Amino acid sequence: MEWYEVGLGLLGLLVLLIGIGLPIPFALAAASLPFLWQIQSFQTSLVSSQLKLWSVWINYILLAVPLFVFLGELIGRSHIGPRLYQFLHQGVRVRGSAAYGSIGACAGFGAVSGSSMVGSLTIGGVALPEMLRLGYGKELSSGVLAAGGTLSVLLPPSLILLFYGIVTDQSIGDLFIAGVIPGLLLATLFSVVVMIWGVIHPDDIPDSEQAARMTLFQIAATVGPIALIGLVIVVAIYGGIATPTEAAAVAALLTVILAFGVGGLRWEGFKEALFSTMRTMGYLGLLLSAGTLFGFVLTYYRVPQEFTELFLSFDLSPYTVLAIVLLFYIVLGMFLEPVSMTFITLPTIFPLMAAAGFDLIWFGVVYTVTMEIAVLTPPVGLNLYVIQGISRGQVSIGQVIRGCLPFIGALVLLIGLLVAFPQLALWLPEQMQ
């Protein structure tokens, strides 16, 4: 079979299977099998499929994924995450402090957890009722929290950057450190959005907020765990003491101790964190395995290589290629969640970006920012439904979507800045070498 027949056939079959409601991991595997049978017998394909599944589950680097997921679940089910919001809200005595505190808390949570949805759920569960009680506009309250969760997938550790590194065979440590400056810049841009919102819609931000100050012990119990966990991850990886997987293991163990010691975690919460991690990894494990099988078929038929050569034959400028790829991801992000997009599309897209002359560490950061837009765009914007769900009927999905629009604009602006100034993402990795 020709490579384009395989590519179009895989894509068409995948869309059909997803369209009839088959879960994405099973759709990926089912779309791959007919083309696998073209090159292997039925019995051989069963063995090779089992080997592909096994290779994913014993991958040393992938052990970091459940550990970081578990770490985030522990923080979300203890008092550590919610207290961080309370500290930032009560410690910033300016108009709009609850909104700025939400951004800061999401950024802080992102420094110890790599999941956007868990970030929105943890901080939003505390911040949204408080902001609505204080008199903040529903669109601003929901928008800032849905968008704030995206900071968790840019600031290290990031699950999207981790998956990107696995698919593209790039350094996980370099990808993590490359996301630091863009992540801090994004938090700043979100704060600017809140400031401008307060000028245009002054009624959406109350003039004064009543909040009791925290004691010194409460501040230490709030900031200390987050700072310590983040420090362990950063120092262990970038000091050359441990691999990302080992750093994740140490950080997860430390989080267990801190969550029970100062975070008020109970045994029931610990069991819920374990079960939630297992449910998440059950899905992610199947997705990773099916994605590996899908990628094997693509690679065997040389679809990524042939697609790259065909695209480059049009003699487009590198930035035209980049614009087409980013537009493709923004549209696709309306229908697929980021992890699925990573394993379905990246094996074909990243060789194209490398051939166009772009640094793959830099593109990893740009790609991750684009994935952040995906979780904020309907109809499959995960963060939109998380925030709408925790509002318990107080905020409609339409209000959440409208509230996210200015923050999506900030994400687009960040992509523009990264394109204009690539060193925003590359300077820190260069300094660490």
Side-chain angles (χ1 to χ4, degrees):
M1 296 180 70
E2 296 293 336
W3 71 270
Y4 55 85
E5 294 175 332
V6 175
L8 292 174
L10 277 170
L11 181 61
L13 191 53
L14 182 62
V15 170
L16 174 64
L17 293 171
I18 294 174
I20 64 175
L22 196 66
I24 290 175
F26 297 106
L28 275 170
S32 305
L33 288 176
F35 298 94
L36 188 63
W37 292 334
Q38 296 292 319
I39 55 177
Q40 296 179 348
S41 67
F42 180 76
Q43 290 81 2
T44 305
S45 66
L46 286 178
V47 174
S48 64
S49 298
Q50 291 168 5
L51 290 174
K52 292 296 177 186
L53 290 169
W54 183 246
S55 69
V56 168
W57 287 102
I58 64 171
N59 189 316
Y60 176 72
I61 296 175
L62 283 177
L63 284 175
V65 178
L67 292 167
F68 281 131
V69 171
F70 182 51
L71 188 155
E73 292 289 347
L74 286 171
I75 292 175
R77 282 172 167 77
S78 67
H79 299 320
I80 295 174
R83 280 178 182 167
L84 181 62
Y85 164 74
Q86 293 170 355
F87 165 70
L88 290 169
H89 164 34
Q90 296 170 10
V92 181
R93 296 291 177 172
V94 297
R95 183 170 178 265
S97 64
Y100 297 125
S102 297
I103 295 169
C106 287
F109 188 86
V112 292
S113 171
S115 171
S116 172
M117 190 168 67
V118 173
S120 288
L121 188 61
T122 300
I123 305 302
V126 177
L128 185 59
E130 178 70 3
M131 291 181 72
L132 294 177
R133 183 188 69 80
L134 292 169
Y136 281 80
K138 293 182 178 180
E139 293 180 356
L140 173 61
S141 302
S142 56
V144 75
L145 291 167
T150 65
L151 293 167
S152 295
V153 295
L154 192 55
L155 291 166
S158 162
L159 293 184
I160 296 299
L161 283 173
L162 180 61
F163 292 143
Y164 175 92
I166 292 168
V167 172
T168 62
D169 196 28
Q170 298 297 303
S171 165
I172 305 297
D174 285 351
L175 286 167
F176 279 1
I177 200 69
V180 171
I181 292 178
L184 296 175
L185 180 57
L186 183 60
T188 303
L189 290 174
F190 282 175
S191 299
V192 172
V193 168
V194 172
M195 191 182 305
I196 295 173
W197 192 310
V199 174
I200 298 175
H201 303 288
D203 293 340
D204 282 352
I205 299 180
D207 292 328
S208 60
E209 302 173 14
Q210 298 299 320
R213 290 186 178 276
M214 300 176 74
T215 65
L216 289 176
F217 175 78
Q218 289 174 321
I219 292 173
T222 298
V223 179
I226 295 289
L228 186 58
I229 296 167
L231 189 65
V232 165
I233 294 172
V234 171
V235 172
I237 294 175
Y238 303 114
I241 301 171
T243 65
T245 301
E246 292 163 346
V250 173
L253 177 60
L254 178 61
T255 304
V256 171
I257 296 170
L258 292 173
F260 276 109
V262 298
L265 184 68
R266 296 291 179 263
W267 180 243
E268 285 300 318
F270 181 77
K271 287 196 297 183
E272 289 173 5
L274 276 177
F275 288 137
S276 180
T277 301
M278 287 190 287
R279 285 192 295 269
T280 300
M281 288 311 302
Y283 175 81
L284 286 179
L286 288 173
L287 183 60
L288 289 166
S289 303
T292 301
L293 188 63
F294 190 82
F296 170 73
V297 173
L298 283 174
T299 303
Y300 180 87
Y301 285 100
R302 290 183 52 82
V303 174
Q305 296 89 334
E306 295 290 347
F307 176 77
T308 299
E309 290 179 11
L310 175 65
F311 210 94
L312 293 178
S313 69
F314 293 114
D315 200 26
L316 300 174
S317 70
Y319 290 103
T320 302
V321 174
L322 178 64
I324 293 171
V325 168
L326 294 181
L327 183 61
F328 163 75
Y329 274 124
I330 288 173
V331 173
L332 189 64
M334 297 179 181
F335 306 98
L336 285 177
E337 45 85 24
V339 179
S340 299
M341 279 194 286
T342 300
F343 289 98
I344 293 172
T345 65
L346 257 188
T348 302
I349 295 297
F350 90 83
L352 173 63
M353 302 312 296
F358 292 107
D359 185 286
L360 288 181
I361 297 294
W362 171 86
F363 180 67
V365 176
V366 173
Y367 173 82
T368 302
V369 177
T370 311
M371 293 302 100
E372 294 180 52
I373 296 176
V375 299
L376 298 177
T377 50
V380 192
L382 297 179
N383 285 20
L384 304 177
Y385 298 103
V386 166
I387 296 301
Q388 196 270 335
I390 63 178
S391 73
R392 296 176 181 174
Q394 295 185 70
V395 181
S396 68
I397 191 65
Q399 288 173 318
V400 182
I401 293 170
R402 289 192 296 274
C404 285
L405 291 178
F407 297 98
I408 292 174
L411 287 164
V412 173
L413 176 59
L414 178 60
I415 292 176
L417 291 172
L418 286 167
V419 172
F421 307 102
Q423 288 301 111
L424 288 173
L426 296 176
W427 182 77
L428 268 182
E430 289 173 356
Q431 300 305 307
M432 299 297 294
Q433 292 176 358

